[in-house]
Amino acid sequence: MSFEFDEHIAVRDVEGAAGEHDAQLSSGWMVGGAVNGGYLLAVIGHAVSRTLPEKPDPIAVSAYYLSASAPGPARASVRVLRDGGSVATVSAELAQGDDVRLTALATFGSLGSLSDDVPEGWTAAAQPPDLPPVDECVPGSMAPPEVLEMAPFVRRFDIRFDPRMIGWALGQPSGRGEMQAWLRLVDGREPDPLLLLMAVDALPPVSMDLGRTGWAPTLELTAHVRAAPAPGWLRIRHATRHVSGGMFEEDCEVWDSTDRLVAQSRQLARLPRS
Amino acid sequence: MSFEFDEHIAVRDVEGAAGEHDAQLSSGWMVGGAVNGGYLLAVIGHAVSRTLPEKPDPIAVSAYYLSASAPGPARASVRVLRDGGSVATVSAELAQGDDVRLTALATFGSLGSLSDDVPEGWTAAAQPPDLPPVDECVPGSMAPPEVLEMAPFVRRFDIRFDPRMIGWALGQPSGRGEMQAWLRLVDGREPDPLLLLMAVDALPPVSMDLGRTGWAPTLELTAHVRAAPAPGWLRIRHATRHVSGGMFEEDCEVWDSTDRLVAQSRQLARLPRS
């Protein structure tokens, strides 16, 4: 069975050019005038996976966004900087023609082979988000038609927003800058580590909940994949702690259906003007 | 007046080689067998500053640590990837001979020229750490002589630990993985954006408070400088939310003497074995 996410992040090795991969950015992942940054991260993550077949899983990925991507052909270039022991570190770039869209550093490994050592007496501060049952949450498909038109990538997901943190969609932002939702792909494609790279940037920016509805361009996004996700719904929590210099940071946690924290990310983005 | 931090992060432009800088890593910043990672970040940050004189301040820096640094000569290489508008993005590398010690991506700008726009009705989640007065905190100089011997870089700071979170130093880790302290340089050198790059990695790893006293090598560290710090003491809070795959993430916030959040960072590090 084939799923659209896999088709859309597919890359083809360029013959005779180690680390070079051709990709085709799908228009289905656009939001506003650009292609969603999390989708781009999954595309480049996929190219790294192919370059490091024995270390196929992202563990840490830091991406700096240099220019807005457009649907169509793109080139993903991966250069291995260090490959030894259980992890490898690479630099990677996604370009369209002469324009670099994003540049990244990443450490990859095999999540299944990592240690399960935890300290005795350890108390985890991170706890799964408190979310009402899926059926009591607000589906993204209820967004106004103009939003679905502007952000076709929303149609790729079954997304259910926590109704207690949805004021921003009704013109009543809380001012706190937080958002929670259930998420899965509409075609039943189960989550895996590459999907998590997309999931950390799938929700609207929390600046919406600060009353700023414009585009919030990401300067930098770092994602840590903490474990391979189990099948089923993901739960996502986004929050910001601080606004300064016309920027805000957005933290994201992704939890799987077994109550396991599977990814964390933080991005620094520009606050849309009022 | 000259200060040792400035002497130790000094770099010399290599003539005729744009973006290339010679540095001399000081043995005074060692901890265990290696040079402190935050100090390395400040050295490379300084090289980026010199390459971008009109955008001298770090805004976001992501460093991937590839091998342990030793005191002595090093080469900092900076390549400008994009320079337009209010910020510039670079890749940078610190090498000793043929060995790359760390590779980084960074966005620099001028902190003083950034917008002070904040959303109406915004409620900041980030609040200054609750720390007892400096005089009621535990000076780092009270560490056992063998610790000061092993980590000479501790002598560069006047550091005062929150006595309520110092159990780890007395063989009674809390299991929560948290730590707070006042920090300033012993010679009176005031904080600036480059010093913040060092400050985010100046405290012992929070794995100490998880009962793991060994070395916790950093895989990746991203720092966001949110504002230029005012003169005076810095307050630093480190905490982890999660351990998995034999790794933990460590979040850091740095606050200045005017109660302003001046830097945030997150690193992914290996949990020392028990």
Side-chain angles (χ1 to χ4, degrees):
Chain A
M1 177 152 184
S2 109
F3 297 102
E4 63 171 15
F5 180 72
D6 298 297
E7 287 163 25
H8 292 169
I9 65 166
V11 296
R12 206 178 59 238
D13 302 352
V14 176
E15 239 179 279
E20 299 287 310
H21 311 268
D22 281 323
Q24 193 70 30
L25 304 184
S26 161
S27 61
W29 297 85
M30 290 189 76
V31 48
V35 180
N36 170 258
Y39 164 64
L40 299 176
L41 216 54
V43 170
I44 208 155
H46 190 210
V48 178
S49 277
R50 288 187 64 96
T51 307
L52 298 166
E54 287 170 24
K55 290 163 182 153
D57 301 322
I59 292 175
V61 180
S62 300
Y64 284 66
Y65 293 86
L66 302 181
S67 60
S69 298
R75 174 64 69 92
S77 309
V78 180
R79 191 162 60 95
V80 179
L81 303 175
R82 184 176 179 276
D83 184 0
S86 59
V87 297
T89 297
V90 304
S91 69
E93 205 173 80
L94 189 74
Q96 296 190 293
D98 289 337
D99 294 321
V100 177
R101 300 312 192 189
L102 75 86
T103 182
L105 291 169
T107 292
F108 272 55
S110 173
L111 287 168
S113 71
L114 295 181
S115 155
D116 56 4
D117 176 30
V118 293
E120 204 180 327
W122 167 56
T123 317
Q127 295 299 329
D130 169 33
L131 261 171
V134 171
D135 291 345
E136 296 172 20
C137 289
V138 181
S141 56
M142 281 179 65
E146 64 272 20
V147 171
L148 296 174
E149 182 69 26
M150 185 272 291
F153 99 115
V154 173
R155 299 183 193 274
R156 313 260 92 77
F157 306 116
D158 189 351
I159 185 165
R160 312 288 181 98
F161 289 97
D162 185 333
R164 300 163 303 179
M165 299 183 189
I166 194 82
W168 53 271
L170 309 165
Q172 295 168 331
S174 78
R176 285 189 302 273
E178 58 179 5
M179 220 173 264
Q180 297 185 162
W182 298 90
L183 185 93
R184 63 180 181 186
L185 289 176
V186 283
D187 63 4
R189 199 268 197 193
E190 294 291 357
D192 67 358
L194 286 179
L195 182 69
L196 296 179
L197 296 183
M198 195 273 304
V200 297
D201 203 26
L203 266 56
V206 289
S207 44
M208 296 269 187
D209 191 42
L210 300 175
R212 300 292 177 93
T213 54
W215 186 42
T218 303
L219 277 77
E220 182 271 333
L221 186 156
T222 295
H224 295 160
V225 176
R226 306 299 302 270
W233 286 96
L234 298 172
R235 278 160 298 166
I236 300 184
R237 176 174 165 78
H238 277 211
T240 186
R241 292 175 54 75
H242 193 66
V243 175
S244 66
M247 302 180 195
F248 65 101
E249 100 288 358
E250 177 175 287
D251 278 7
C252 173
E253 285 189 357
V254 185
W255 294 78
D256 76 3
S257 60
T258 68
D259 277 353
R260 189 165 191 188
L261 177 64
V262 290
Q264 282 172 304
S265 75
R266 176 175 291 165
Q267 62 173 281
L268 187 67
R270 284 190 196 274
L271 184 70
R273 292 203 183 80
S274 52
Chain B
M1 179 152 182
S2 109
F3 297 102
E4 64 171 15
F5 180 72
D6 298 297
E7 286 164 27
H8 292 168
I9 67 166
V11 296
R12 207 179 57 237
D13 302 353
V14 176
E15 241 179 278
E20 299 287 309
H21 310 268
D22 282 322
Q24 193 70 29
L25 304 183
S26 160
S27 61
W29 296 85
M30 290 189 75
V31 47
V35 180
N36 170 258
Y39 164 65
L40 299 177
L41 216 55
V43 170
I44 208 155
H46 190 209
V48 178
S49 277
R50 288 187 65 95
T51 307
L52 298 166
E54 288 171 23
K55 290 162 183 155
D57 301 322
I59 292 175
V61 181
S62 300
Y64 284 66
Y65 292 86
L66 302 180
S67 59
S69 298
R75 174 64 69 92
S77 309
V78 180
R79 192 162 60 96
V80 179
L81 303 175
R82 183 175 180 277
D83 184 0
S86 60
V87 297
T89 297
V90 304
S91 70
E93 206 174 78
L94 190 74
Q96 296 188 295
D98 289 338
D99 295 320
V100 178
R101 300 312 191 190
L102 74 86
T103 182
L105 292 169
T107 292
F108 272 55
S110 172
L111 287 168
S113 71
L114 295 180
S115 156
D116 56 4
D117 175 31
V118 294
E120 204 180 329
W122 166 56
T123 317
Q127 295 298 327
D130 169 32
L131 262 170
V134 171
D135 291 344
E136 296 172 21
C137 288
V138 180
S141 56
M142 282 181 64
E146 64 271 22
V147 170
L148 295 174
E149 181 70 26
M150 185 271 291
F153 99 116
V154 173
R155 299 183 193 272
R156 313 260 91 78
F157 307 117
D158 188 353
I159 185 165
R160 312 288 181 97
F161 289 98
D162 186 333
R164 299 162 305 179
M165 300 184 188
I166 194 81
W168 54 270
L170 309 165
Q172 295 168 333
S174 78
R176 287 189 301 273
E178 58 179 5
M179 218 173 266
Q180 297 184 165
W182 298 89
L183 184 93
R184 63 179 180 187
L185 289 176
V186 283
D187 63 4
R189 200 267 195 196
E190 295 291 357
D192 68 357
L194 287 179
L195 182 70
L196 296 178
L197 296 182
M198 195 275 303
V200 297
D201 203 26
L203 266 55
V206 289
S207 45
M208 296 269 186
D209 191 42
L210 300 175
R212 300 293 176 92
T213 54
W215 187 42
T218 303
L219 278 78
E220 182 269 335
L221 185 156
T222 295
H224 295 159
V225 176
R226 307 299 301 270
W233 286 96
L234 298 172
R235 278 160 298 165
I236 301 184
R237 177 176 163 78
H238 278 210
T240 186
R241 290 176 55 76
H242 193 66
V243 175
S244 65
M247 301 179 197
F248 65 101
E249 101 287 359
E250 177 175 288
D251 277 6
C252 173
E253 285 188 356
V254 185
W255 294 76
D256 76 3
S257 60
T258 68
D259 277 354
R260 190 165 191 188
L261 178 64
V262 289
Q264 282 173 305
S265 75
R266 178 175 289 165
Q267 63 172 281
L268 188 66
R270 284 192 196 273
L271 184 69
R273 292 204 183 81
S274 52

